[in-house]
């Protein structure tokens, strides 16, 4: 049996107009009661009802795109963290001819539909360039939420671009796409083909 709290919805209690007229101003106001915890059942999430994949951010390293449905460690010779909570991170190796990139330089993971980058105490640091903002050097060991379009520079020309959480899914063996997530095409109406211009 569920807690009574889980069965409650938001409730608004209002005093009757007659009682309000007899009460001094400011003594009785509308009361808004909200339960402490409110859970949305997984089956009622809009993306799952529509049969669409969950909105998870992605990153682009070189020509490859990685969905952050599990953490990604990027570096010259990346290794897994000593303590792993949740899914095992994917290890992505980037070239560093000058040895500027640390062995395990940065860790990317998702917080809902937002990407987060953690500097793993990289020797030469991590520079974050958010869209329309000046470059920002992360403090060693810092963690930072990064928005779509942000480029993370880890040195030696190795950069990681943060992509939208609404990417098209990539079929096995297919090419990556950074286009928007689209609904399946309608099969009930007539199909239209665009006219070609002479």
């Amino acid at each position: 049996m569920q807690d009574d709290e889980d069965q409650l919805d938001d409730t608004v209690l209002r005093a009757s107009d007659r009682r309000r007229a007899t009460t001094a101003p400011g003594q009785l106001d509308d009361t808004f009661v909200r339960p402490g915890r409110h859970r949305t059942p997984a089956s009622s999430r809009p993306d799952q009802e529509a049969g669409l994949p969950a909105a998870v951010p992605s990153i682009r390293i070189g020509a490859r795109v990685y969905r952050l449905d599990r953490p990604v460690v990027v570096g010259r010779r990346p290794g897994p963290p000593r303590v792993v909570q949740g899914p095992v991170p994917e290890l992505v190796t980037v070239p560093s001819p000058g040895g500027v990139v640390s062995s395990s330089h940065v860790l990317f993971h998702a917080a809902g539909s937002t990407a987060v980058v953690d500097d793993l105490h990289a020797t030469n640091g991590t520079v974050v360039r958010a869209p329309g903002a000046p470059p920002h050097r992360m403090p060693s060991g810092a963690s930072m939420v990064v928005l779509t379009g942000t480029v993370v520079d880890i040195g030696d020309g190795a950069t990681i671009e943060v992509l939208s959480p609404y990417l098209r899914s990539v079929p096995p063996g297919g090419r990556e796409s950074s286009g928007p997530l689209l609904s399946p095409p309608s099969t009930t109406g007539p199909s239209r083909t665009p006219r070609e211009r002479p």
Side-chain angles (χ1 to χ4, degrees):
M1 185 172 170
Q2 291 183 332
D3 297 333
D4 289 339
E5 241 180 37
D6 291 340
Q7 296 174 5
L8 293 176
D9 287 329
D10 293 347
T11 306
V12 176
L13 303 174
R14 287 191 168 83
S16 69
D17 291 337
R18 185 174 173 197
R19 184 171 174 189
R20 187 173 288 163
T22 61
T23 306
Q27 190 176 7
L28 180 66
D29 291 328
D30 290 348
T31 304
F32 187 74
V33 179
R34 182 178 299 235
R37 292 178 292 145
H38 183 71
R39 293 185 206 137
T40 303
S43 60
S44 68
R45 293 182 189 139
D47 55 350
Q48 291 179 358
E49 283 181 4
L52 301 173
V56 176
S58 300
I59 56 173
R60 178 181 290 132
I61 304 170
R64 292 206 51 198
V65 173
Y66 301 87
R67 279 189 90 213
L68 296 179
D69 46 6
R70 66 176 173 154
V72 176
V73 177
V74 185
R76 193 176 72 247
R77 283 189 315 267
R82 290 185 185 132
V83 178
V84 176
Q85 295 178 347
V88 176
E90 184 165 356
L91 306 178
V92 179
T93 303
V94 294
S96 180
V100 173
V101 177
S102 293
S103 294
S104 292
H105 200 105
V106 287
L107 168 79
F108 284 87
H109 60 95
S113 60
T114 306
V116 179
V117 60
D118 298 337
D119 177 273
L120 300 176
H121 300 281
T123 305
N124 292 302
T126 302
V127 175
V128 176
R129 291 192 304 263
H136 169 73
R137 188 177 192 83
M138 291 181 69
S140 181
S143 183
M144 182 178 202
V145 171
V146 283
L147 304 175
T148 299
T150 298
V151 175
V152 178
D153 188 343
I154 59 175
D156 255 354
T159 58
I160 300 108
E161 180 187 3
V162 179
L163 304 175
S164 169
Y166 302 100
L167 292 177
R168 281 187 238 151
S169 55
V170 180
R175 65 179 189 83
E176 287 88 1
S177 169
S178 59
L181 180 68
L182 301 174
S183 304
S186 172
T187 55
T188 56
S191 62
R192 295 182 181 177
T193 54
R195 291 184 180 177
E196 292 184 11
R197 291 186 178 177

